[in-house]
Amino acid sequence: MAETKKKIFLLSLGCAKNLVDSENILGILSSHGYPIAEDIDDADIGIINTCGFLQSAVKEAINAILEMIDIKKRGGLAKVIVTGCLVQRYGYKLKRGMPEVDGWIGTGELDKIAALVESTDTNAPFFIGRPEFIADHELPRVQTTPFYSAYIKIAEGCFHRCTYCTIPALRGPLRSRPLESIVLEAKAMRDRGVKEINLIAQDTTVYGVDLGIDNGLERLLEELIPIQGIEWIRVLYSHPNEIRDLFLQLMDREEKIAPYLDLPLQHASKRILKAMAREIKGETPYELIERVRSYKRGLSIRTTMMVGFPGETDEAFQELYDFVKKVEFDHLGTFIYSPEPGTHAARLKGIPDKKVSKKRRDSIMSLQARISLKKNRGMINKTIPVLIEGFSKETELLLSGRSIRMAPDVDTQVLINSGEGMIGEIQDVLITEAHSYDLVGEIV
Ligand code: SF4
């Protein structure tokens, strides 16, 4: 009689790239016959796919592991397995510190997960190595995002060396997936009802460089556009140094490509950008934005800014503040610099006082709230296509959705207070109200 397979629960922490790894882990285990539990109370084996690139993420991961160990001690789980960036970053130190964990996998060893789950070795097997692995369309995957929207990781790793970043050490060198593999995955997604594809990597704009493909991202988009049934294609995680006119022209010309540039600039002061090793070659941040905004379709720009970097004086911060005020981004997030052991920036002196950094972050975000409200007011009485996502998190009296200028999980939403909405459908919505971040409207 076949042995009943243990039920698996997976907690996925961190970014969308890590979520894709989690979906592959679930895919591999499902293909080995392991049922997936939606709730940890129904599971026999608990897996945490961790993030570890910032101290705050490290803390969150360790707390999650300790919680799962606690459930195991109370007999609620037979095994606890930890995977991902935290494992890659701290390696065997973790094993010594948490002997209750039954197995460990680094970022480059995902394909070892079934062997680890099946292992009877009580000495907590540890799979870690130089990250060289990249999943392709043949690796099984369980989509955990809503049926109509999915992420495709087009490359892994990074060859940039931003001085504050641990990711190259955690994820290894840039390695792009073969173009055909991405196209096949997109078609498979379309076949199961996906309408929106979000392309992700550490830096999508250098896709294909390691494979010797010139303008690889544009070539890939040209291959994805003709796929019938895929309505929206969004490119996330671009790099300010790699914004080619060819890419902008494609975004301007092709309706299917979201007119949405995810452009993490991090700062506007030349001196700070230099210290971050994120200087933009051949143009200033203002000139780059001007170039992006010169296209008639009107491209939306999302950015992230970092305050509190070593050497950030009042003048340097004022430069950033004035830049955000003048540019008026469509979406903006601001983070306080976190000195990460092992990075070049962690050795730099002159970190502003934490209180000062918090004040700077808050002043940028309250400025952005005013900018966003002004922009949203400009949308009133306009009718826009909205991807209906379901009931709003706040109340079942409202539906919520996103326009093509809003990315999943990070941006704002359109709240819908009248009309019949079909989840996963793109329907026209007349905007009737504007808030700092969200829009309100009715289906027409
Ligand atoms: S581009 Fe810079 S910030 Fe982004 S992953 Fe690479 S090194 Fe890190």
Side-chain angles (χ1 to χ4, degrees):
M1 198 173 70
E3 174 226 349
T4 332
K5 292 270 181 177
K6 295 205 170 1
K7 273 186 129 179
I8 307 285
F9 172 82
L10 186 144
L11 174 66
S12 187
L13 301 176
C15 67
K17 288 149 274 181
N18 217 30
L19 182 69
V20 172
D21 290 353
S22 298
E23 294 184 349
N24 281 130
I25 290 172
L26 292 174
I28 295 167
L29 293 174
S30 303
S31 70
H32 281 74
Y34 289 92
I36 306 298
E38 294 295 317
D39 193 307
I40 194 163
D41 298 337
D42 306 332
D44 308 300
I45 296 178
I47 301 176
I48 304 175
N49 189 23
T50 61
C51 173
F53 92 117
L54 288 179
Q55 290 310 305
S56 54
V58 168
K59 223 181 271 156
E60 182 196 17
I62 289 174
N63 288 342
I65 298 168
L66 294 175
E67 270 170 39
M68 254 194 209
I69 288 173
D70 212 36
I71 296 172
K72 180 186 167 193
K73 281 184 181 155
R74 287 187 272 115
L77 285 171
K79 260 191 181 184
V80 173
I81 290 173
V82 180
T83 67
C85 288
L86 182 82
V87 181
Q88 195 69 31
R89 186 167 183 181
Y90 294 103
Y92 291 93
K93 266 191 250 156
L94 290 169
K95 180 174 176 170
R96 285 194 295 278
M98 294 190 268
E100 303 87 348
V101 170
D102 301 280
W104 307 84
I105 289 189
T107 56
E109 318 290 322
L110 285 193
D111 52 347
K112 307 268 184 345
I113 189 70
L116 187 50
V117 166
E118 272 147 16
S119 162
T120 53
D121 177 347
T122 53
N123 183 25
F126 206 106
F127 297 101
I128 191 167
R130 203 176 118 81
E132 283 159 354
F133 172 80
I134 175 107
D136 68 5
H137 63 287
E138 283 174 344
L139 195 71
R141 184 174 165 185
V142 172
Q143 185 177 328
T144 62
T145 52
F147 71 88
Y148 49 82
S149 177
Y151 293 105
I152 297 188
K153 191 179 342 187
I154 62 174
E156 182 53 280
C158 187
F159 62 40
H160 299 289
R161 288 293 176 271
C162 308
T163 57
Y164 52 82
C165 185
T166 56
I167 293 172
L170 304 182
R171 292 279 168 172
L174 171 72
R175 39 215 201 274
S176 302
R177 283 175 62 182
L179 202 147
E180 306 68 34
S181 168
I182 299 168
V183 173
L184 285 169
E185 184 169 20
K187 287 182 176 163
M189 286 176 164
R190 181 272 317 274
D191 295 345
R192 58 174 193 264
V194 170
K195 287 212 169 60
E196 176 191 49
I197 283 183
N198 297 287
L199 304 181
I200 58 175
Q202 305 303 346
D203 174 3
T204 47
T205 38
V206 294
Y207 168 74
V209 165
D210 55 314
L211 302 175
I213 311 176
D214 288 338
N215 305 323
L217 177 61
E218 294 87 340
R219 292 266 306 276
L220 172 61
L221 290 169
E222 297 276 13
E223 296 289 324
L224 294 174
I225 290 163
I227 301 178
Q228 296 299 319
I230 298 292
E231 312 265 348
W232 292 352
I233 302 168
R234 181 176 293 103
V235 177
L236 297 174
Y237 306 103
S238 67
H239 191 287
N241 256 327
E242 311 287 346
I243 308 300
R244 295 172 292 277
D245 281 326
L246 202 57
F247 175 39
L248 298 173
Q249 285 153 11
L250 205 53
M251 217 189 266
D252 191 43
R253 195 179 66 230
E254 296 293 339
E255 283 298 310
K256 254 193 199 181
I257 302 184
Y260 180 97
L261 190 61
D262 178 18
L263 187 67
L265 287 163
Q266 307 299 6
H267 215 283
S269 143
K270 194 170 169 49
R271 189 172 53 75
I272 298 292
L273 286 171
K274 189 161 192 294
M276 290 175 167
R278 279 189 77 88
E279 269 177 301
I280 305 172
K281 296 190 201 88
E283 58 191 340
T284 66
Y286 280 106
E287 286 160 349
L288 170 58
I289 299 297
E290 235 166 74
R291 187 160 63 86
V292 171
R293 292 224 165 118
S294 66
Y295 290 84
K296 65 183 181 327
R297 193 174 171 197
L299 307 180
S300 292
I301 307 176
R302 150 168 277 281
T303 196
T304 51
M305 295 299 184
M306 189 189 287
V307 295
F309 195 77
E312 188 186 59
T313 56
D314 289 347
E315 294 70 35
F317 173 70
Q318 195 56 45
E319 249 186 286
L320 174 61
Y321 188 91
D322 297 344
F323 176 71
V324 170
K325 192 169 182 188
K326 182 144 184 258
V327 168
E328 297 196 343
F329 289 97
D330 301 276
H331 306 283
L332 178 144
T334 306
F335 303 89
I336 296 177
Y337 165 68
S338 162
E340 292 302 322
T343 62
H344 174 75
R347 298 196 294 271
L348 298 176
K349 300 267 175 294
I351 297 184
D353 179 79
K354 201 82 191 178
K355 278 207 210 79
V356 172
S357 299
K358 282 197 176 118
K359 237 166 121 235
R360 287 175 178 171
R361 175 203 51 203
D362 297 348
S363 72
I364 294 259
M365 289 318 289
S366 62
L367 168 65
Q368 182 60 24
R370 294 193 296 278
I371 290 168
S372 179
L373 178 58
K374 187 175 100 180
K375 283 177 175 266
N376 279 354
R377 285 197 175 129
M379 295 298 294
I380 293 178
N381 293 330
K382 292 211 171 112
T383 297
I384 55 172
V386 169
L387 173 58
I388 310 298
E389 298 202 283
F391 290 111
S392 94
K393 291 195 184 69
E394 289 84 33
T395 160
E396 294 218 342
L397 298 174
L398 296 171
L399 291 179
S400 94
R402 284 180 290 113
S403 80
I404 197 170
R405 295 171 184 274
M406 298 167 174
D409 305 322
V410 287
D411 287 336
T412 51
Q413 58 184 342
V414 180
L415 296 170
I416 296 156
N417 55 16
S418 104
E420 276 198 26
M422 296 269 289
I423 296 179
E425 291 301 319
I426 297 170
Q427 296 177 251
D428 284 343
V429 172
L430 169 66
I431 302 302
T432 54
E433 246 178 271
H435 299 281
S436 292
Y437 290 108
D438 296 338
L439 294 167
V440 179
E442 49 195 59
I443 291 173
V444 289

